[in-house]
Amino acid sequence: MDKKMKKDSLLKSSLWISISGIISRILAVVYIIPWNIWIGPLAVNAANAMYGKVYNIYNLFLIIATAGIPSAISKEVAAHNALGRFDQSEKLFKKYSFYMTLVGIGCAAIMFFGAKYVAIVLAAGDMRVVTPIKYLSVAMLIIPALGILRGYIQGYAFISYSAFSQVIEQIARVAYMLYATYTIMILQKGNYISAVNQSTLASFIGATLAYVFLLWIRVKVRRSVTIDDIKTKDDLPTDETIDINFGSMLRSAIPFLLVDTIMTVLQLFDQTTFTWIYQLILHASEKTIDNLYAMFGFQANKIIMVLVSLAISVSASVIPALSAMVSKKVSNEYIQNFMRKIVQFTVFIILPATFGVMAISRQLWTAFVFYDQSILGSKVLIVSCFEAFFYCLFMILENILQVTHHMKKSMIYLVIAYLLKIVLQLPLTLALGVYGPVVATTIAFVIMSHFAFRLINKEFAIVDKELGKKLIHILIDGLIMLVVVVVANLLIVQVISDATKVGAIIVIAICGVLGILVYGFLSYKDGSLNILKDIRDTKIY
């Protein structure tokens, strides 16, 4: 038997997912530099708009095909394993895998054979997306099984391996995208539509490699469970066992599905309504619509997803940890203390990261897009940072609600968010132009986060003077860091031109290191940094 694998602590799992998420998102952003250069300045906005529309559609099918299962199975496997019911975990894994593979085949069939109708409904009739939708349908055959496997591994508290599989997936995907684009655009002198078509096929290649890696990890995980750890059905009271079926799976998964889906659904809503508003009311040209949509719907969105990956890291760790606590029926006081740490840790990580992106927004736009768009682009990115910050809070709070059995209220808040977005979209887009859809989404997330946190605080009384004082320290540290980096940025660009990609990257690197040092020093001096020590030994179960 293999040497027993050591489970990840809450801090280790969060850090691993943070690191892997950031690496994955950075790769997803960095590839844009050569990709945009090879596509060329004449076609780059059209290519970005097309690629963004295709991936929003793909993400919707992706979430439907996985149906919230990674989070749901992570929650349930952790709950069963905490009580020694490893046999039940295996039943969950096998049945979920079978059911969701069938769902994946169904989604792939709809995407391949119904691509034209999908384009009409979800891409405002843009027929350029038909072929790439068909290419992406192949990935749907393996993605659901990959999601099941990731949730299973996370439920065993080996979150670092699940996180590493994301890096493998992203490296393979980006490598193929760049290879295909360079071959088509530079060597063959082809067109951007062919390059986008081939770039979408990369998702299947990345997912396949990640799946093979996790299959190997699954073998190691199973071998790490000793005979003494296992409690079979006969060792437990009859009311402790479960009936595993498709209905119970969906009841557990659908709330997570709806939370995971909201950003994708809102982006799909943006890409259709923004096009309609600019075509039918403002009578803009297709080129203008492509330029503006690419700016907020693809380019800015790619950059802020680095921030979102931080929230995902916290959320993926919180779900199995809280689920295990609830299943073991620990005291409210223990959960209260845990949630205070989560609130502080979340703000400690996400707030300075958001401020940092805002401080170097123009250089980020120059590095990853083009300098001639950097003034408007940087403003769109700053507004998008607010959207990303409140989306991060919403996602973590909603997942906490779900694990603590507030499904109904969680769903009500989601409905409120959708209604707000629908009501605000038209007036804000007409009033604010390219900023309108982003501001509408931000307002929806702000209100949802408020309701969700109020409910959690009502039950667990998280907020007290001590937590308030700690959060104020974090806010002050972040604001000081923001001011220092902005001033340093203004001084550095007097010496190093940020009009080129190389110059912009140098400025980003200098300001990034400075920001980390300033924030690290300030948080050390006022004790905010102690949150890392506080959660270091917090076990997932």
Side-chain angles (χ1 to χ4, degrees), residues 172-309:
R173 190 178 77 88
V174 168
Y176 182 80
M177 286 181 67
L178 295 181
Y179 163 76
T181 303
Y182 181 81
T183 301
I184 292 169
M185 299 301 296
I186 304 301
L187 299 183
Q188 299 176 355
K189 307 298 181 184
N191 62 65
Y192 76 90
I193 293 178
S194 298
V196 172
N197 291 345
Q198 282 297 317
S199 294
T200 56
L201 186 61
S203 293
F204 170 72
I205 294 169
T208 301
L209 289 178
Y211 186 69
V212 171
F213 168 75
L214 285 180
L215 281 178
W216 173 62
I217 293 300
R218 168 169 152 73
V219 173
K220 293 187 67 177
V221 166
R222 289 297 298 150
R223 288 177 179 173
S224 74
V225 178
T226 65
I227 299 299
D228 294 335
D229 293 327
I230 299 173
K231 292 181 182 178
T232 63
K233 183 175 180 178
D234 295 334
D235 299 320
L236 297 163
T238 54
D239 63 347
E240 291 276 7
T241 59
I242 58 170
D243 178 29
I244 304 167
N245 55 60
F246 193 62
S248 66
M249 179 195 72
L250 287 181
R251 281 193 296 274
S252 179
I254 283 176
F256 289 105
L257 163 68
L258 296 175
V259 173
D260 292 345
T261 309
I262 186 167
M263 187 57 127
T264 298
V265 172
L266 293 182
Q267 287 171 346
L268 284 168
F269 183 73
D270 283 342
Q271 76 183 31
T272 52
T273 55
F274 186 80
T275 300
W276 290 337
I277 291 169
Y278 266 73
Q279 279 179 344
L280 303 177
I281 300 177
L282 302 177
H283 305 294
S285 65
E286 183 180 61
K287 182 178 179 181
T288 299
I289 295 171
D290 276 350
N291 289 348
L292 293 177
Y293 175 74
M295 191 169 286
F296 81 88
F298 179 78
Q299 293 153 348
N301 188 57
K302 277 284 185 183
I303 297 172
I304 65 169
M305 287 308 289
V306 175
L307 300 177
V308 173
S309 68

Side-chain angles (χ1 to χ4, degrees), residues 81-142:
N81 289 356
L83 300 174
R85 302 189 302 211
F86 294 93
D87 60 326
Q88 297 285 20
S89 295
E90 286 304 298
K91 289 180 182 178
L92 280 169
F93 172 72
K94 291 173 182 176
K95 288 205 172 184
Y96 277 32
S97 296
F98 173 74
Y99 290 139
M100 297 316 297
T101 298
L102 294 180
V103 172
I105 292 171
C107 287
I110 293 171
M111 289 179 69
F112 187 85
F113 296 107
K116 178 180 176 180
Y117 304 102
V118 171
I120 292 172
V121 175
L122 299 178
D126 189 344
M127 290 297 107
R128 294 175 298 177
V129 306
V130 171
T131 301
I133 288 174
K134 290 183 177 181
Y135 276 65
L136 283 168
S137 67
V138 182
M140 300 306 300
L141 298 174
I142 193 168

